Amino acid sequence: MTSQAVKIQGVQHYFGSGNLRKQVLFDNQLQIEPGEIVIMTGPSGSGKTTLLTLIGTLRSVQEGSLEVLGQQLLGATDDDRIALRRRIGFIFQAHNLFESLTAFQNVKMALDLFDFSPEEVSSRIRELLTRLGLGNRIDFKPASLSGGQKQRVAVARGLVHRPKLILADEPTAALDEKSGREVVTMFQEFAEQEGAAILLVTHDNRILDVADRIVRMVDGRIKSNVLVQESRIICEFLKDVPVFSKLTPRTLTDMADKMFLEAFPPGATVIRQGDAGDKFYLIREGRVKVEVERDGNVRQVAELSKGSFFGEAALINHEPRNASVVAVSDLQVYTLGPEDFQRSLDASATLEEEVRKVLFERQ
Amino acid sequence: MKTPLAISNLLHHRMRTFAAAAGVTLSVVLIFMQLGFLGSVESTASLLFDALEFDLIMRSSNYLHLSAAGSFPQERMYQVASASTVQATQSLTLGLFPWHHPEQPRKRRIFSIGVDPLDSPFRLPEMQSKVSALVQPSSVLIDRKSRPEFGPQNGQRFGDADLGTRVEVAGKSVTIVGHFELGGGFASDGLMLLSVSHLEELAEGGLANQRSLGLIRLKPGADIVESAARLNRDLPHDVEVLTRDEAVQRERLRWTQGTSLGIIFQMGVAISFVVGIAIVYQVLSSDVAQQLREYATLKAMGYSTAALSRVVLSQAIMLAVLGFVPGLALAAALYQLTARVALIPIQMNTLRVIFVFVLAVSICSLSGWAAARKLGSADPVDLF
Ligand SMILES: Nc1ncnc2c1ncn2[C@@H]1O[C@H](COP(=O)(O)OP(=O)(O)O)[C@@H](O)[C@H]1O
Ligand SMILES: [Mg+2]
């Protein structure tokens, strides 16, 4: 048993077989705590839905460990999966309501799987539908509901059994701003009151603010995984670093979102001279020494501390590392991948200028 | 109470429900009619036996069925009468003769039973009392269930108006002196009774001292099966002795299996069954197909495929009931109409109602089961 609602370790996924076998998920790691709202974004075709359906037991796990609400899904039986589905709430892009059933009955289908008393069933459904603004539509069939109302009935159906994990793919795509806001507020309340973990796949920028954490998926890999709160801390920090201080808040936030936090003990080598450059580093806490080895002699060329960055030269010049960097004290660094670094430079002429100036001075 | 999804589906998609129930009704009516015909073949096969008084019956070993009964020498009757367990014997001679009613353009063949007018072999009180009238020369009794083509005065049924009418039978003039009701069923369209001597006369000596059926009554307490066995052993092999049950059973089999009637009606039942399945499956499977995404959603929520199959199956069973009830009513009405128009005994009975209901439920369950297999392709992965 783990305390996490979702614990993903080394999950890989392939579609097709033989020559057509194609890997769509690469060594994914992700943990979602109870009560946490995680928003997953990323370009279309990057594997978000595949990961979501794996977590939701709708696909079989092929490789890696995937624990959902304490149940290991690698090698789980059909019965295990069906039992687990009853503890998950699904909200799909389409409402998929039975035309023949009223709003009340459609929601009730989710409770029929359990043994609640009729009074409990009725009060839960009425209360939930009322909270979703459908109090006067309870006994209507889908044909007499608007698109947004139908979607809200579907949301109620996904929440009524008080699941400990809610999986939603673009739940607000079919809703206007107000209904969308009601639905995500509902999610927040659910996360808070029921301790439910919520994973939302969305491109809807209007609701990003409800997220505790934003995960970005690119080409089957989780590219960044940032606590929103953490990303604000990074933002604050970046603003105080002279090179970044002239950036717009927008560029700052984008950069902060994409950064990972890494820690090294004293004496650890962060960068080794001659290796390929794959990251840009910004020191959050601690000190490093920069050493260059030439003809067998190692010479320390600099010592950097909080607010300094390193690793930019290899990325800009597309060369191997021209020096080694070793932690002198306990070290915390923010890191940025090469594409995201390049994108940040492209987005801001100021930043590019600042970084090149520092790079020039160092050479 | 769980949500009544099956009923809601039926009520919501009314046209579809109507089409499927009508399909069930159609096959139920067809099956009832086929079984009704088959049943009337069986019951008419034994009508004559039912009307006669006997424990054992003797017949020629060439016997095929009542209208091709063959004959045996009258002498056999004396041999039987002398057996220790036999109380009394009677005999019948059967024949088919051309019948020409003066007011009818066409000749017909009439099934004729020659009896001893002074010793009626019949159980039915009406026949028993009327047979004595046959002592008059050239007299016959006519079956009221004979087809109208035999020429009743009122154009439909023989009755008192026909008394005294003279008809030409086998080229000789006979007089109708009475009427009775028995029914010849599928074997013959018309039936008359006459005295044995009169029948021999009409047969122009062809049946002299020949008998078709020997009716044997046993002494009280005699064992029927054992007596039959002993008689069969002692008598020459040109005759055989059967119990009532055997005689009735063989006559029925002769009609249902020895002719194509049985197989025709059985095929009819099978085809109606298949037609029912085709219609109900068509409707149910399009119902499932149209709601495939909704069913997939239920699967994602934790419903098993088996639980969803039960929804489709109960929908199917409800269709069976919805279609069966009007089918039963319609068939009962058609039975009455057929009995009146075709003059064959076709009746509803409880066993048949139960049997057809079971068939209707089977039609729907099989269609439901086939339609429910589509649920396997309802994959919640496709919902994202
Ligand atoms: N059933 C499938 N069979 C084969 N390839 C698939 C299937 N589903 C998705 N893919 C491929 O897997 C990749 C990831 O898809 P998906 O998880 O749907 O991405 P996203 O939800 O981020 O748009 C895409 O390249 C897509 O073409
Ligand atoms: Mg997707």
Side-chain angles (χ1 to χ4, degrees):
Chain A
M1 285 291 284
T2 48
S3 60
Q4 284 89 9
V6 177
K7 189 174 180 189
I8 300 175
Q9 286 174 306
V11 164
Q12 320 234 37
H13 200 81
Y14 306 82
F15 282 117
S17 56
N19 284 339
L20 298 173
R21 187 168 148 108
K22 175 183 154 204
Q23 185 165 5
V24 296
L25 290 182
F26 299 83
D27 192 28
N28 280 287
Q29 326 288 337
L30 179 67
Q31 296 190 9
I32 307 178
E33 307 293 331
E36 196 178 23
I37 300 182
V38 175
I39 284 185
M40 184 152 60
T41 61
S44 153
S46 57
K48 305 182 294 296
T49 298
T50 306
L51 188 61
L52 196 75
T53 52
L54 280 169
I55 298 170
T57 79
L58 306 181
R59 279 186 204 288
S60 302
V61 177
Q62 297 170 344
E63 256 182 77
S65 162
L66 174 46
E67 265 178 61
V68 175
L69 301 176
Q71 165 78 49
Q72 174 58 254
L73 288 180
L74 181 66
T77 65
D78 283 353
D79 285 348
D80 292 338
R81 288 160 46 154
I82 287 177
L84 184 55
R85 284 178 195 179
R86 299 182 181 185
R87 299 162 60 205
I88 298 178
F90 286 97
I91 293 154
F92 305 97
Q93 213 162 338
H95 57 79
N96 302 322
L97 299 176
F98 279 94
E99 289 290 326
S100 58
L101 299 180
T102 62
F104 184 91
Q105 289 175 316
N106 266 297
V107 177
K108 187 164 168 289
M109 289 304 293
L111 290 184
D112 283 348
L113 290 162
F114 307 91
D115 289 318
F116 295 116
S117 72
E119 299 76 36
E120 168 90 15
V121 166
S122 170
S123 69
R124 269 201 201 188
I125 298 174
R126 283 174 200 284
E127 191 194 324
L128 194 52
L129 286 175
T130 307
R131 256 166 83 190
L132 284 162
L134 294 167
N136 56 354
R137 289 284 183 278
I138 287 177
D139 294 313
F140 283 48
K141 286 186 179 172
S144 26
L145 299 176
S146 72
Q149 289 171 332
K150 282 188 263 205
Q151 185 61 10
R152 277 178 280 158
V153 175
V155 169
R157 179 176 58 183
L159 301 182
V160 72
H161 55 298
R162 304 192 179 150
K164 288 291 176 218
L165 172 64
I166 294 165
L167 301 175
D169 203 351
E170 298 284 2
T172 56
L175 299 177
D176 58 41
E177 176 141 24
K178 184 163 164 291
S179 314
R181 178 51 56 184
E182 275 164 14
V183 167
V184 294
T185 307
M186 180 120 238
F187 284 163
Q188 273 180 314
E189 287 174 20
F190 236 80
E192 220 161 90
Q193 293 164 8
E194 309 284 335
I198 302 180
L199 178 59
L200 296 178
V201 170
T202 189
H203 290 103
D204 187 350
N205 292 325
R206 300 172 304 192
I207 63 168
L208 288 180
D209 60 296
V210 302
D212 294 315
R213 187 208 296 265
I214 297 177
V215 170
R216 207 177 135 73
M217 175 82 91
V218 178
D219 295 336
R221 293 180 173 88
I222 292 179
K223 274 289 154 169
S224 71
N225 179 349
V226 183
L227 278 172
V228 172
Q229 203 195 352
E230 175 91 6
S231 122
R232 286 202 199 102
I233 295 172
I234 301 176
C235 251
E236 293 300 310
F237 180 80
L238 290 181
K239 255 194 288 186
D240 294 337
V241 177
V243 203
F244 302 112
S245 57
K246 294 186 197 122
L247 297 184
T248 63
R250 175 84 228 159
T251 317
L252 272 183
T253 320
D254 274 356
M255 267 189 89
D257 278 352
K258 286 165 192 154
M259 283 184 155
F260 282 87
L261 180 65
E262 292 181 30
F264 297 88
T269 303
V270 183
I271 283 180
R272 192 178 303 284
Q273 186 175 351
D275 284 356
D278 62 348
K279 272 180 204 163
F280 168 77
Y281 295 82
L282 173 64
I283 302 174
R284 174 184 170 178
E285 208 59 71
R287 283 175 296 114
V288 296
K289 56 181 180 187
V290 182
E291 298 171 337
V292 176
E293 188 224 293
R294 196 165 288 149
D295 311 326
N297 303 320
V298 177
R299 187 168 57 95
Q300 177 171 339
V301 293
E303 185 159 309
L304 304 173
S305 58
K306 180 173 176 174
S308 301
F309 57 84
F310 56 88
E312 77 292 340
L315 297 185
I316 291 179
N317 299 333
H318 302 286
E319 294 169 354
R321 297 293 191 195
N322 53 12
S324 294
V325 177
V326 180
V328 176
S329 63
D330 268 322
L331 177 72
Q332 288 185 358
V333 286
Y334 292 123
T335 62
L336 201 55
E339 295 92 2
D340 290 324
F341 175 68
Q342 189 57 50
R343 221 169 281 131
S344 301
L345 293 186
D346 294 347
S348 157
T350 352
L351 179 61
E352 168 144 35
E353 198 176 304
E354 295 289 338
V355 173
R356 284 191 183 280
K357 200 161 84 194
V358 173
L359 180 60
F360 179 76
E361 283 163 6
R362 285 184 184 169
Q363 277 172 346
Chain B
M1 208 187 74
K2 304 291 178 199
T3 310
L5 180 55
I7 294 180
S8 303
N9 278 343
L10 290 178
L11 290 178
H12 189 80
H13 308 283
R14 295 234 172 104
M15 276 316 293
R16 217 178 264 166
T17 303
F18 178 78
V24 176
T25 304
L26 175 71
S27 34
V28 161
V29 168
L30 290 175
I31 290 174
F32 265 126
M33 292 320 286
Q34 311 290 335
L35 291 179
F37 289 133
L38 194 59
S40 69
V41 168
E42 289 189 344
S43 61
T44 52
S46 64
L47 270 183
L48 181 59
F49 294 122
D50 294 343
L52 294 169
E53 189 68 64
F54 66 91
D55 295 317
L56 298 177
I57 193 163
M58 179 165 66
R59 58 193 213 182
S60 161
S61 44
N62 292 327
Y63 182 95
L64 285 174
H65 53 82
L66 279 173
S67 6
S71 63
F72 53 82
Q74 195 178 3
E75 199 189 326
R76 298 283 173 266
M77 294 307 299
Y78 306 137
Q79 288 170 292
V80 167
S82 66
S84 62
T85 53
V86 173
Q87 174 148 47
T89 63
Q90 287 166 309
S91 61
L92 300 179
T93 311
L94 307 177
L96 270 173
F97 296 108
W99 163 283
H100 192 196
H101 192 280
E103 286 161 28
Q104 289 293 319
R106 289 185 54 211
K107 280 190 186 174
R108 304 198 58 101
R109 277 155 72 81
I110 190 156
F111 184 59
S112 311
I113 305 176
V115 297
D116 178 350
L118 301 178
D119 184 15
S120 161
F122 292 106
R123 279 171 159 179
L124 302 171
E126 187 198 22
M127 295 176 82
Q128 211 166 13
S129 63
K130 285 184 174 172
V131 163
S132 57
L134 294 173
V135 291
Q136 303 166 59
S138 303
S139 65
V140 300
L141 297 174
I142 183 84
D143 185 358
R144 292 193 292 270
K145 283 200 168 168
S146 301
R147 288 200 59 83
E149 289 81 356
F150 284 85
Q153 279 295 313
N154 65 9
Q156 286 178 359
R157 250 169 109 79
F158 285 98
D160 289 344
D162 298 290
L163 297 184
T165 305
R166 301 178 73 84
V167 184
E168 200 179 288
V169 176
K172 299 189 174 70
S173 178
V174 305
T175 310
I176 297 176
V177 299
H179 47 80
F180 63 95
E181 185 154 320
L182 184 64
F186 289 83
S188 63
D189 299 338
L191 172 64
M192 69 176 187
L193 288 186
L194 66 176
S195 71
V196 177
S197 52
H198 187 189
L199 185 141
E200 285 176 359
E201 215 177 285
L202 294 180
E204 297 185 318
L207 287 170
N209 296 322
Q210 293 284 312
R211 293 291 178 262
S212 307
L213 295 175
L215 307 178
I216 304 165
R217 258 170 291 163
L218 297 176
K219 287 181 179 153
D223 188 297
I224 295 177
V225 175
E226 202 177 293
S227 304
R230 180 137 30 83
L231 286 170
N232 275 326
R233 198 177 59 228
D234 295 347
L235 287 166
H237 290 303
D238 59 349
V239 288
E240 55 179 350
V241 175
L242 305 174
T243 65
R244 176 180 283 276
D245 287 347
E246 284 172 339
V248 167
Q249 204 51 44
R250 289 209 200 166
E251 195 70 14
R252 286 187 177 159
L253 285 180
R254 165 68 211 168
W255 280 102
T256 56
Q257 293 180 9
T259 67
S260 41
L261 287 175
I263 192 77
I264 287 172
F265 293 134
Q266 282 159 11
M267 283 293 289
V269 169
I271 290 170
S272 315
F273 190 82
V274 172
V275 166
I277 290 182
I279 297 176
V280 178
Y281 170 74
Q282 197 54 44
V283 175
L284 277 179
S285 67
S286 70
D287 193 69
V288 171
Q290 206 206 10
Q291 304 188 95
L292 213 54
R293 290 182 66 85
E294 286 76 17
Y295 282 121
T297 307
L298 292 186
K299 277 194 185 176
M301 283 157 56
Y303 279 84
S304 62
T305 308
L308 300 184
S309 301
R310 280 197 288 278
V311 171
V312 177
L313 271 182
S314 45
Q315 220 166 303
I317 304 294
M318 288 177 212
L319 283 175
V321 176
L322 273 182
F324 178 79
V325 172
L328 174 62
L330 210 57
L334 282 174
Y335 274 8
Q336 286 195 350
L337 191 70
T338 311
R340 191 137 27 89
V341 174
L343 298 175
I344 53 171
I346 180 164
Q347 279 167 346
M348 199 55 86
N349 64 53
T350 320
L351 199 66
R352 190 179 301 153
V353 171
I354 294 172
F355 178 65
V356 177
F357 181 69
V358 169
L359 287 187
V361 170
S362 315
I363 287 176
C364 293
S365 315
L366 286 173
S367 322
W369 172 78
R373 289 198 319 170
K374 272 200 187 283
L375 290 170
S377 62
D379 190 348
V381 150
D382 302 332
L383 296 172
F384 282 105

